[in-house]
Amino acid sequence: MEMFEDSPEDFSSYFEHTPDLVCIADRKGFFKSVNIAVVNKLGYTKEELFSRPIFSFIFPEDIPITERTRLEMYEGKPLVNFENRYITKAGEIVWLHWTSFYLPHKQSVFAIAKDITYQKKIEKEVEEKYQRFKKLALHFKGNIEKDRQQFAVELHEELAQLAAVIKLNLHSVTNSHPELSPSAKEKIEHATYLSELMIKTIRKISFEISPYMLDYDCLRGALTILCNDFSVLHEIPCLLDADFNEDNISKEIKIDFFRVCQEALKNVLNHSEAKSVTITIEESEHKVSLTIFDNGKGFDPKKQRQKSGLSNIRDRVASINGQFNISSKPGEGTVIDVVVDKKI
C-alpha cells in the first residue's frame, strides 16, 4: 500500500492479509486503497469501490453523523470507537467499528474497521428481551397499583362512610334523648370521638395505600400531604423542595418516587432518630433525581446489614432502570439519591 512503500518492514503484506478492514480515502470522500477484507465484506470489486463516493455505501440514517465525525477528524480530532452501518452489494447491513486518523501531508484518511455485526445482533436481542421484561414488570406494578387503588377506594368510600353514619347516629341519640344519664352521654361522646378517629385513620391508610393525588399525575401534591402528615404525626419536620415539571415525568416514575419516599420515611422513623428530613426533586434535560436527607445518627454502610427498607428501595429503583446511591456516616445522617430517565 502506498503510504508504507518506504517502510523498512513489509506492512503492505500485513494489511492485505489482516481480517480487519483497512482502507485509505482522500478528502473528496473516495476510497483510494482497500485491502481484500473490505472487498470480501462489502461484496464490491475494488473498481466498484473506487468509482463511487464512500457515502453511497453507508446506511442512509448514519450519513449525517459520519459526515460530522469526518469533519472533526480533519480538524485534528482522531476518530476512535466510531460505529456506523454499511450496505453490501447483496443488500445486507453490516456494522463496522472504526479507528481512523487524518494524514494532512498526504491529504488522506487512514482507517481500520472491525465487523461488529454479530455483536450488534446480540445487543439487539438483549435489548428486546430487556424491553419485554420491563413491560412485564410495569404490567405487574400497574396491576398492583390498580389493586391498591381499588382497596383504597373501598376503604374510603365504604368503611369511612359507615363510620360517618355511626357518628351521625350517635349525635342523633344525644340530641333526641336529653334525659340520658351523664354516664351514658359520656360514653356516647367517647364513641363519637372514636368514630371521628376511625374516619381520620381510614382516610390516612387509604392515602398511604393509593394517594388520590397521583390519579391526577400530581406527585408534588401527594408528597406535600405525605410530608405534612409525617411532620404532624411524628413531630419530625419533613421539608419538600420539588423543582420539576409534572408533565415531563411519567406516571410510573411518580408512583415509584412516592413509594421510595414512603419507605425512606419509615426507615427514618424506625432507625435514624432524625430531627428533620428534606426531600428534594430536581430535573435536568433527560433525567430526574430524588434526594432524601435526614440528619439522624447515620451508619456505616459497609458494616450495616442490609435493611429490608433499603432493599425495597433499591429493588424499586432497579425496576425502572434507575441509579441508586446511599451515603451515610455515624453521626452525620443519611442521604439517599435516586436518578432515572424522565421517560421509562
Side-chain angles (χ1 to χ4, degrees):
M1 301 176 73
E2 180 184 348
M3 67 176 293
F4 296 107
E5 285 178 350
D6 300 326
S7 172
E9 298 181 49
D10 188 10
F11 285 102
S12 296
S13 176
Y14 169 77
F15 285 126
E16 191 62 35
H17 293 90
T18 179
D20 293 338
L21 285 70
V22 182
C23 61
I24 297 174
D26 61 21
R27 283 205 58 151
K28 295 180 180 180
F30 283 81
F31 286 121
K32 304 305 293 182
S33 181
V34 298
N35 70 347
I36 192 63
V38 176
V39 174
N40 292 338
K41 184 58 60 178
L42 298 183
Y44 293 95
T45 65
K46 287 187 177 183
E47 291 73 18
E48 289 173 324
L49 290 170
F50 297 158
S51 65
R52 291 165 47 184
I54 295 174
F55 283 115
S56 67
F57 302 105
I58 297 175
F59 190 71
E61 292 182 8
D62 294 347
I63 290 177
I65 189 171
T66 303
E67 173 65 12
R68 288 196 301 270
T69 306
R70 184 173 70 97
L71 294 176
E72 291 175 356
M73 182 176 55
Y74 290 156
E75 295 174 358
K77 181 179 179 180
L79 186 150
V80 181
N81 297 328
F82 177 72
E83 298 175 357
N84 64 0
R85 290 166 288 183
Y86 276 65
I87 303 175
T88 70
K89 190 172 184 178
E92 298 176 348
I93 295 175
V94 293
W95 278 92
L96 298 179
H97 181 277
W98 293 94
T99 298
S100 308
F101 56 89
Y102 179 56
L103 303 170
H105 63 288
K106 288 185 174 289
Q107 293 286 293
S108 300
V109 174
F110 177 72
I112 301 176
K114 290 183 178 294
D115 180 6
I116 58 170
T117 307
Y118 179 74
Q119 293 93 314
K120 285 294 182 179
K121 179 181 178 182
I122 298 299
E123 288 177 10
K124 182 179 180 182
E125 291 175 354
V126 171
E127 176 64 20
E128 289 174 349
K129 288 181 180 179
Y130 165 74
Q131 292 297 333
R132 287 199 298 270
F133 284 128
K134 186 174 77 170
K135 288 180 180 180
L136 189 60
L138 291 175
H139 173 72
F140 286 141
K141 286 168 63 177
N143 284 344
I144 291 172
E145 289 298 331
K146 286 180 181 179
D147 291 340
R148 284 175 176 264
Q149 185 180 43
Q150 183 61 35
F151 184 46
V153 169
E154 291 177 357
L155 275 176
H156 187 271
E157 299 298 331
E158 297 186 22
L159 287 183
Q161 293 296 337
L162 288 174
V165 171
I166 293 173
K167 176 184 174 182
L168 289 174
N169 286 339
L170 290 171
H171 277 301
S172 176
V173 170
T174 302
N175 294 332
S176 59
H177 297 280
E179 73 281 3
L180 289 173
S181 66
S183 176
K185 289 182 178 180
E186 183 180 350
K187 290 181 179 179
I188 290 176
E189 288 178 1
H190 182 63
T192 301
Y193 167 76
L194 291 178
S195 64
E196 290 178 352
L197 183 61
M198 183 184 298
I199 293 171
K200 291 180 181 179
T201 302
I202 290 172
R203 287 174 177 168
K204 175 179 176 296
I205 294 173
S206 174
F207 177 81
E208 289 180 349
I209 292 173
S210 181
Y212 65 90
M213 301 294 289
L214 291 181
D215 294 339
Y216 301 98
D217 281 347
C218 187
L219 175 61
R220 184 181 286 102
L223 289 179
T224 298
I225 295 174
L226 180 68
C227 289
N228 289 343
D229 286 351
F230 185 84
S231 300
V232 171
L233 292 174
H234 307 296
E235 298 183 347
I236 301 175
C238 183
L239 305 177
L240 175 65
D241 181 9
D243 184 16
F244 68 99
N245 187 332
E246 297 275 356
D247 296 334
N248 293 339
I249 303 175
S250 67
K251 185 172 183 178
E252 290 79 8
I253 290 177
K254 293 178 183 180
I255 292 173
D256 283 312
F257 271 20
F258 181 83
R259 298 300 179 201
V260 166
C261 290
Q262 275 186 316
E263 197 69 56
L265 290 179
K266 288 180 184 177
N267 286 342
V268 169
L269 191 61
N270 295 331
H271 305 291
S272 78
E273 301 178 8
K275 303 301 181 185
S276 67
V277 184
T278 301
I279 297 175
T280 304
I281 299 179
E282 298 176 327
E283 68 169 312
S284 60
E285 185 177 358
H286 301 294
K287 305 282 186 179
V288 57
S289 62
L290 166 67
T291 302
I292 305 166
F293 167 71
D294 74 74
N295 62 355
K297 61 183 182 181
F299 62 94
D300 185 347
K302 295 181 180 179
K303 297 180 180 179
Q304 185 76 24
R305 290 191 309 169
Q306 186 73 292
K307 297 177 181 178
S308 61
L310 293 178
S311 296
N312 291 340
I313 294 174
R314 193 185 305 275
D315 292 344
R316 183 172 285 274
V317 174
S319 73
I320 52 175
N321 200 30
Q323 302 170 14
F324 172 82
N325 183 62
I326 184 164
S327 303
S328 185
K329 291 182 179 179
E332 297 186 13
T334 301
V335 179
I336 293 174
D337 285 310
V338 177
V339 181
V340 299
D341 292 329
K342 286 181 181 179
K343 304 295 182 181
I344 61 173

